[in-house]
Structures are given as structure tokens and as C-alpha cells.
Amino acid sequence: MASRKSLSEESALQESHSVTGRTSLSDDDDLAPYRVEDNDPISLSLQRTLSAGQHESLLARIEAPAVVLAEAAEANAESELPGVVGKKKNGMRMAFMNMANSIIGAGIIGQPYALLQCGLLTGVVLLFVLTLVIDWTIRLMVVNAKLSGTNTYQATVSACFGRPGYLAISLAQGLFAFGGSIAFTVIIGDTIPQVITAIFPSAATTPIVSLLTERQPVMIFCIIFISFPLSLSKNIANLAKASLLALISMLIIIVAVVVEGIRTPADQRGEFTPALLTINSGVFQGIGVISFAFVCHHNSLLIYGALRKPTLDRFARVTHWSTGVSMVACMTLALGGFLTFRNRTAGNVLNNFPADNIFINIARFCFGFNMLTTFPLEIFVCREVILDYIYSTFFKQITNEHGIEEPPEPSMLAHRLTTASLTLVTLLVALTTDSLGIVLEVVGSTSACMLAYILPPLCYLKLASSANCSWKQKVGPVACVVFGVTVMIVSTALSIMNFFTTTHDDSIET
């Protein structure tokens, strides 16, 4: 039986090479569930691994049940048994919206500042190159999951490096997502009250309504009554429609910055220097800003798992479209902001514009709204990390239908309590500060680099050794690890030095 299954899977892989690849995001796709990309050395390595009899039950364990359940759910939606809850599956368009929304978040506003740090020429090149690297490592994570017989980022790293690897990835994922959720809450408090004050000047003197012009009441209201209900969803697929609205709001922000940047008076613009046009001294800080904006690895396997008919080719198309569109969006905003304000470019480019600019205030509102819908994605990841750690450490493992031991499914009570606790802690931390700059720099330079540039290629190198891959297939992953470690060390050191320098200068002035 095992031999027959292996042969059928290998046949499906070979047959898929005769099908011409498509580049659209159409859901009308009847491709075989095990199709791999043509001439992809990683995919060919996976095929050789299957041919050698290693992990031969892996594809059936991860993909086949998902495909069968997705198709069965669509064919028998009306005949679903009472009490049986099926997981919602996304088409490729919805998966694209979720991934693109994970990328086009708070970090996009800092892209003009990244060009300031790197210099125009260097920044544009880095933005393009880092997009390619991020695209590759996201897809590499799925290959790693297949080779290791796992279906989550944590499980993949744990399978490769044991308990230390599991703790490292959990900490990196948790810190990055938690730091992002705090930043989003702070942004909500910094943007929405300004917009309400600009649109309704009398609101500040109106009883009760005046609370909407104050930072902390607005943060409490938005998080508790908007973001928290969205965060209670147990499946990331349910956030796709909110992701669509968030992407529309980010489009408004980009248009506002470009249009109002052109209309900005000359006396409000900055100046160019040779360094600003070529390569500036803050290249590593700029890499950190770009990386913080593009890292969505902590959501990627969740999005892959919510994809209808999850195959390598289908997920690759989702990834290409998501990272490509995100790069165009970031590049447009970066150039629109930096070419306008030059050496005066602020970390948040919206702060460069006057407070009474109507179009920019609309953009500020859209930015705050985008944070409301991105916040649940980060809480989703934090919750998964915490519950997975708790249930894998303190609860007796169970054997699933594939004969694999795994933690039991968390109860609904645990799900709700964890979500409420994370939301409350995030809100409390955000209420105590109006600036998380240095904290997010350090967290971003460590966790972002770990998630995007270090752990995915490290896992592949570990798995490739057992699959007898050639040295040519290992050059790229090795270079990516070296790059990630270098950026992490240098960026963190510079952030800490800048923090102490700023603190020392402030103490002297005082």
C-alpha cells in the first residue's frame, strides 16, 4: 500500500511537469495537488527525495486531505452534518489579499525614510533585491514544511533543530507579532484623533464627544470594539474581506502622498546631497526598515493552510503577486515621499504634511483603519504561538488520523481567554507610551532577520543534507544566512548606539 501511494505521488509530480505554468490568480484551477514548478531545483530536490522513499507520506499527510476536504466542502456544503465545523478555505485572490495585507502594513509609511537612510540609488536597488529574497524565503518555508513533514513554521524549525529551534522560532514569531500589534495600537491613537479634530473642530469642546479627540479613549474604543471581535476568529481565512478593505485604504494613502507631495510648496521641501542621491551612511538601518515592512513569514504557512488546493505552484503565484504588488506600492510611496521632502523626510512621512491638509487627513484615517484590520492578524499569530507552546508542553499529546502525535485542540475557552489577554496587554502597553521607535528597531532587526533571512535557509540546509542535495543548491541559502546574521548584528548594534547617544544628548540639554 505504501509503495502504491508513493508511486502515485511520484507519477503526479512527473505529470505536472508537462503542464504549462500559469501566472494569473484564477481559482478555476484543476492542477494536480502535488504539482511542482518547472526547472525549480528545490522542487526537483523534493521530487528526488520522494523518489528515494524519504518522507513519502508527507505530501499525502499535508496536501491531499486538505484538497479532499476543500472539494468535499464545496460539493456538499448543503449536506454538512450538524455539529461538524469545517475550516473555511480561501481562493487564491483572497489568499493574495491576506498576504498582501500582512506585508502592506505599518512599515510602508517608513519607506521614504528608508531611502533617506540608504540614499536614493542604493535604496531603490535594496528594495527590489530584498523583495526577491523575501519572496524566495516565503516559498522556501513551504518546501521546508513538506520535506520535514510539518505544517507550521514552529514545527518545521523544531523538526530541524529540536527544542532549542522550537523556542527560538516561537520567541521570534511572538516578539515580531506582539511588537507589531503594539505599534498598530499606537498608530491608531496617533492618527484617528487628529483626523476627528481636523474634520470636527468643535468636537474638542463638546461633552463626551471630546473623548474621540483624545488619544487614549480612541485607542481603547477601537481596540475593544473593533479589533478584538475580529481577533476572536479561529481561522485566518475569515479576515480576508477585512484585508481587502485594508488594501483599498493603503491605496488611498499612496495616492495622497504622491498627489500632495507634488503640490507641496518649495519652502517645505528639503535638499539633496550627493550621499542622498547615491549611498548614505544609514544603509543597515534602511535594510531594517525595509525588512520590517516586508516580513510576513509568521503568517505565511497559516495563509498556505487556508488556501484551497494548497500546491507549490498555487502558493508561488500568490507569493509572487503579493510581494510584487507590495514592492510597487512601497516603491511608489517611497519615491513620492523622499523626492518631495529629501533630507527632511520623517520616519512617518504623513508627519511631513500640514495638520490641516484634508487629503492627508483622509490618508491618516485610512492608515489608522488599516491598523485596525491588521491588528487581528498579529494577535492571531501571538495566540497560535502561546497556545501551541502551552498545549505541547503541559498537555498529553494525542495521535491524529495519520499516526502523528500532536497537541490536543485548544478549547474555545482557552482561545477566548488567550485572545482577550493578548489584546488587553497590548492595549495597556500602548497606553503607557507614544513612542516605540527604539524598541521596534531592536525587535525588527532581530526577529525580522531571524524570520526572513536566517531560519528558512538554515532549515533548508539541514533538510538538504539528508536529501543529498548538491553544493550548488546550498550556495543561495548559505549566502542568505550570512546576510541575515550580518544585518541582525550590525543593525541591532547601531540601534543600541543611537539610543544611548540620543539619551546622552537629551540629558545634556536638560
Side-chain angles (χ1 to χ4, degrees):
M1 181 65 69
S3 176
R4 184 184 307 172
K5 184 193 302 181
S6 179
L7 290 174
S8 66
E9 290 173 349
E10 185 175 350
S11 176
L13 279 168
Q14 294 172 347
E15 182 181 354
S16 68
H17 283 283
S18 65
V19 183
T20 302
R22 306 179 210 172
T23 59
S24 68
L25 285 174
S26 173
D27 287 329
D28 300 327
D29 204 342
D30 295 325
L31 301 177
Y34 307 135
R35 179 180 172 192
V36 297
E37 296 177 279
D38 297 336
N39 302 322
D40 185 346
I42 296 176
S43 300
L44 294 176
S45 173
L46 174 60
Q47 183 177 358
R48 287 200 304 270
T49 303
L50 288 172
S51 300
Q54 299 176 9
H55 306 292
E56 61 87 12
S57 62
L58 167 60
L59 291 174
R61 185 162 71 246
I62 291 181
E63 286 189 349
V67 174
V68 171
L69 288 175
E71 293 176 342
E74 292 176 349
N76 304 300
E78 296 182 357
S79 61
E80 187 175 356
L81 296 176
V84 178
V85 179
K87 287 190 174 181
K88 183 178 178 182
K89 291 292 178 177
N90 277 333
M92 295 180 69
R93 291 186 183 91
M94 286 300 184
F96 156 75
M97 291 172 192
N98 263 339
M99 182 176 289
N101 187 42
S102 297
I103 299 173
I104 308 177
I108 190 174
I109 290 296
Q111 296 311 296
Y113 180 73
L115 293 188
L116 172 70
Q117 294 287 74
C118 297
L120 179 60
L121 177 62
T122 305
V124 170
V125 172
L126 281 174
L127 187 55
F128 178 76
V129 172
L130 291 179
T131 299
L132 296 179
V133 175
I134 293 292
D135 178 283
W136 173 67
T137 55
I138 290 174
R139 291 181 290 115
L140 189 64
M141 288 170 51
V142 176
V143 175
N144 290 339
K146 293 179 180 296
L147 287 172
S148 61
T150 57
N151 57 6
T152 67
Y153 200 170
Q154 298 100 309
T156 301
V157 180
S158 179
C160 293
F161 302 105
R163 190 67 175 178
Y166 171 77
L167 294 176
I169 182 58
S170 297
L171 184 62
Q173 281 185 301
L175 284 177
F176 189 83
F178 186 65
S181 64
I182 294 175
F184 300 159
T185 307
V186 171
I187 290 169
I188 291 170
D190 290 341
T191 55
I192 295 181
Q194 294 184 31
V195 174
I196 295 176
T197 302
I199 298 177
F200 307 105
S202 61
T205 58
T206 304
I208 300 179
V209 179
S210 62
L211 293 176
L212 297 178
T213 64
E214 298 178 12
R215 179 175 180 272
Q216 294 186 343
V218 168
M219 293 167 63
I220 295 172
F221 177 84
C222 291
I223 295 300
I224 292 180
F225 293 103
I226 300 178
S227 293
F228 176 63
L230 289 174
S231 302
L232 286 172
S233 173
K234 293 196 70 173
N235 195 298
I236 200 172
N238 295 328
L239 300 174
K241 293 182 179 179
S243 297
L244 172 60
L245 295 176
L247 288 174
I248 294 174
S249 71
M250 295 308 292
L251 178 61
I252 295 174
I253 294 173
I254 295 171
V255 173
V257 170
V258 173
V259 171
E260 294 302 314
I262 296 174
R263 298 170 56 184
T264 299
D267 60 343
Q268 296 180 15
R269 298 171 181 264
E271 298 178 351
F272 281 126
T273 64
L276 288 180
L277 290 173
T278 53
I279 179 170
N280 207 3
S281 58
V283 171
F284 282 98
Q285 293 96 315
I287 292 176
V289 174
I290 296 173
S291 300
F292 183 82
F294 274 82
V295 168
C296 66
H297 297 62
H298 51 302
N299 289 331
S300 298
L301 283 177
L302 299 175
I303 294 172
Y304 174 79
L307 181 65
R308 188 181 303 121
K309 293 184 181 179
T311 67
L312 289 175
D313 270 4
R314 289 169 64 83
F315 184 71
R317 289 202 294 277
V318 170
T319 305
H320 294 333
W321 277 89
S322 300
T323 55
V325 169
S326 299
M327 184 196 70
V328 172
C330 288
M331 188 76 75
T332 303
L333 186 65
L335 292 175
F338 178 68
L339 293 178
T340 299
F341 299 106
R342 303 159 191 179
N343 64 334
R344 295 183 181 180
T345 303
N348 179 347
V349 72
L350 295 180
N351 292 337
N352 282 115
F353 294 93
D356 59 352
N357 188 309
I358 297 178
F359 199 1
I360 292 299
N361 279 328
I362 294 175
R364 289 187 178 112
F365 174 80
C366 290
F367 192 37
F369 175 80
N370 179 260
M371 297 304 98
L372 289 173
T373 56
T374 308
F375 179 93
L377 290 172
E378 306 304 326
I379 292 296
F380 188 100
V381 174
C382 291
R383 182 179 64 230
E384 291 297 304
V385 169
I386 292 174
L387 290 179
D388 186 72
Y389 176 79
I390 292 175
Y391 275 76
S392 65
T393 304
F394 302 104
F395 287 77
K396 183 179 180 180
Q397 307 298 286
I398 61 174
T399 303
N400 62 20
E401 65 271 22
H402 305 294
I404 305 298
E405 287 192 352
E406 61 182 14
E409 184 73 16
S411 65
M412 182 57 70
L413 177 62
H415 170 86
R416 291 173 176 171
L417 286 177
T418 305
T419 304
S421 300
L422 283 171
T423 304
L424 179 61
V425 172
T426 298
L427 182 58
L428 290 175
V429 173
L431 288 172
T432 61
T433 181
D434 57 1
S435 177
L436 294 176
I438 187 62
V439 176
L440 292 181
E441 280 186 25
V442 174
V443 172
S445 64
T446 53
S447 59
C449 288
M450 285 288 290
L451 291 171
Y453 307 131
I454 299 176
L455 289 177
L458 267 183
C459 288
Y460 178 76
L461 290 172
K462 180 75 172 181
L463 296 167
S465 299
S466 61
N468 297 320
C469 293
S470 66
W471 66 270
K472 293 182 180 180
Q473 294 174 260
K474 299 179 181 180
V475 172
V478 169
C480 189
V481 172
V482 172
F483 170 76
V485 171
T486 303
V487 171
M488 182 176 66
I489 294 174
V490 176
S491 296
T492 304
L494 290 175
S495 297
I496 294 175
M497 288 174 58
N498 290 338
F499 169 74
F500 283 111
T501 300
T502 303
T503 304
H504 178 69
D505 291 343
D506 292 341
S507 64
I508 291 177
E509 293 179 2
T510 303

